[in-house]
Amino acid sequence: MATQSSKPSLARRWEDYQPAKSTLLWACAATFVATLIIGFNWGGWVTGGTSRALAATAGDTARSELASAVCVDRFNTAPDAAAKLVEFKAITDSYKKWQFIETGGWATMPGKTSPDRLGAQSCAVALAT
């Protein structure tokens, strides 16, 4: 004779479960904290301050790349470009190369009165190669 088990099935136990309010509260809090940890560590989430800093850095980089491209173009289209390039390549100190580019006016953007330092540095590197 077979004996029947009086233990209810898992589905039945799940239906009959009635958690306390505190259990639900802590489950929600744990889920919230886990979401934050996963989002900020692996999801790529950042705070507002970090986002603003990244945007400012990206803007500075883009501006210097544009200034460098304009500088190289201005340098290469100058009437005495070949002589200036020989003079530029004769300079060994990188700081003096930047100064040469800045004083030549090639790193000054249209509408500006002073040269873009990052653009001049990038321009010097591009012209040196």
Side-chain angles (χ1 to χ4, degrees):
M1 170 164 176
T3 60
Q4 268 189 330
S5 172
S6 63
K7 186 176 178 183
S9 68
L10 180 62
R12 185 69 184 153
R13 285 185 291 166
W14 182 259
E15 287 176 7
D16 293 341
Y17 180 67
Q18 294 180 355
K21 289 179 185 173
S22 63
T23 305
L24 286 176
L25 174 76
W26 286 112
C28 289
T31 303
F32 177 73
V33 169
T35 301
L36 288 178
I37 290 171
I38 290 169
F40 280 103
N41 286 329
W42 299 295
W45 298 355
V46 293
T47 62
T50 302
S51 176
R52 283 187 289 278
L54 290 172
T57 302
D60 291 343
T61 302
R63 185 176 55 245
S64 69
E65 288 176 2
L66 177 63
S68 174
V70 169
C71 174
V72 170
D73 184 54
R74 283 183 173 178
F75 188 92
N76 289 332
T77 58
D80 55 349
K84 290 291 186 184
L85 187 60
V86 170
E87 185 181 346
F88 173 78
K89 290 199 175 197
I91 301 171
T92 57
D93 185 24
S94 62
Y95 180 74
K96 292 191 189 242
K97 286 184 178 186
W98 301 338
Q99 283 184 329
F100 180 78
I101 296 293
E102 288 177 354
T103 56
W106 299 294
T108 304
M109 293 293 97
K112 300 290 182 181
T113 56
S114 62
D116 184 285
R117 181 163 299 277
L118 291 175
Q121 292 173 0
S122 298
C123 182
V125 169
L127 289 172
T129 57

